[in-house]
Amino acid sequence: MANSFFKFKQFVVHQDLAAMKVGTDGVLLGAWASALHVKDILDIGTGTGLIALMLAQRNHAAQIDALEIDANACEQARLNFKQNEWMYRLRVIEDNLQHYSRSASKKYDLLVSNPPFFNNALKNECQKKALARHTDSLSFQDLLHGVKLLLQPNGLFCVVLPADEKEKFIHLAMKEGLFLKNILLVKPTPVKQPKRVLMEFSFHKLEVSEHIMVVEEFGRHGYSEAYKELTKDFYLAF
């Protein structure tokens, strides 16, 4: 059973109400996304509010909207937002992306998402966890179309996905006029293939910058210097 809260250096994330708990994917995205020098940020599928909180810590001026379809997760995010100094820059929006992208009165400089990504997989018995983890509620096509509608012309979209979904997602993004700009391939250990991929897209077709990062370079909990450097402002251990 997951702990009811996860403590970071500058905030605590309570997770008893949300189906999806704090995980490495969200931490990586929150630490890696291009959050500096932007004014308006949207976290798509915020869950506990983890990524929104990380971006609020990194950017002391941005207004951050946190979009979430699940009522319990919305309540969880609101509670987490209220417990820190950035609460007035954080707003929870209870809606799905398909509707919000058509009705929103603003566009964003940065969109981030740790989206549902299990395609055609056996559903979890917990319906809410299944909703959060599977693409049935938000397909890649719907996600990318929503991004296209909500992103400023010079804005950026950052996402974390399983590495084996990379090519499919890049192809679908191009259909929406979104082009890969930066990519980070995340390897669990030096000898394993990348398990996750962090990608940054924009409306401008530029040369792609590609990097590889190993998480555990020196055995179990033997984290690489690159991983520690990326996450040092958040994890208590670093």
Side-chain angles (χ1 to χ4, degrees):
M1 183 176 178
N3 290 333
S4 63
F5 67 91
F6 197 105
K7 189 172 184 180
F8 293 90
K9 285 184 176 178
Q10 294 191 35
F11 58 87
V12 176
V13 176
H14 294 272
Q15 53 185 4
D16 53 302
L17 300 178
M20 296 308 298
K21 311 305 181 184
V22 171
T24 303
D25 290 358
V27 174
L28 285 173
L29 183 60
W32 182 80
S34 300
L36 303 181
H37 313 300
V38 297
K39 295 181 179 179
D40 290 295
I41 300 173
L42 178 67
D43 177 16
I44 301 168
T46 197
T48 61
L50 166 66
I51 295 172
L53 286 164
M54 293 180 71
L55 298 179
Q57 177 182 321
R58 293 178 56 205
N59 184 325
H60 295 166
Q63 296 293 319
I64 303 170
D65 290 340
L67 186 68
E68 175 58 52
I69 190 174
D70 179 72
N72 285 337
C74 285
E75 180 62 20
Q76 186 86 85
R78 289 189 186 97
L79 292 171
N80 285 328
F81 292 169
K82 287 179 180 178
Q83 296 183 30
N84 63 79
E85 61 186 284
W86 316 306
M87 60 180 292
Y88 297 108
R89 296 191 288 113
L90 292 157
R91 178 177 68 142
V92 175
I93 300 171
E94 186 174 344
D95 201 351
N96 62 57
L97 179 64
Q98 294 92 329
H99 177 263
Y100 183 69
S101 63
R102 297 191 304 269
S103 60
S105 60
K106 64 189 293 187
K107 292 194 175 186
Y108 297 87
D109 306 304
L110 174 66
L111 302 179
V112 296
S113 186
N114 176 13
F117 50 68
F118 289 119
N119 289 297
N120 302 316
L122 183 66
K123 298 291 191 296
N124 190 289
E125 291 183 4
C126 172
Q127 186 177 5
K128 288 182 179 179
K129 183 172 287 189
L131 183 69
R133 293 175 68 88
H134 290 266
T135 60
D136 297 28
S137 59
L138 182 64
S139 68
F140 287 165
Q141 291 92 333
D142 285 347
L143 171 60
L144 287 161
H145 187 65
V147 168
K148 176 183 179 180
L149 296 177
L150 290 168
L151 191 62
Q152 292 278 18
N154 292 317
L156 297 170
F157 167 52
C158 296
V159 64
V160 56
L161 290 172
D164 59 8
E165 299 279 11
K166 172 172 68 76
E167 295 302 329
K168 174 184 177 181
F169 197 84
I170 292 172
H171 178 70
L172 291 171
M174 289 177 64
K175 290 185 175 182
E176 296 290 347
L178 292 160
F179 301 96
L180 183 64
K181 181 181 179 183
N182 290 304
I183 183 168
L184 177 66
L185 298 165
V186 182
K187 300 176 65 173
T189 71
V191 299
K192 291 185 178 180
Q193 292 299 310
K195 184 178 180 181
R196 291 287 185 267
V197 60
L198 300 170
M199 295 185 287
E200 180 181 76
F201 294 85
S202 78
F203 289 124
H204 306 287
K205 195 170 185 179
L206 304 167
E207 184 176 350
V208 178
S209 176
E210 180 174 321
H211 298 277
I212 297 174
M213 183 181 69
V214 175
V215 176
E216 293 180 323
E217 188 173 5
F218 310 105
R220 183 66 172 165
H221 300 309
Y223 298 105
S224 70
E225 289 304 314
Y227 180 75
K228 289 192 287 186
E229 179 65 25
L230 181 63
T231 60
K232 67 180 181 181
D233 290 339
F234 302 99
Y235 280 137
L236 294 172
F238 304 152

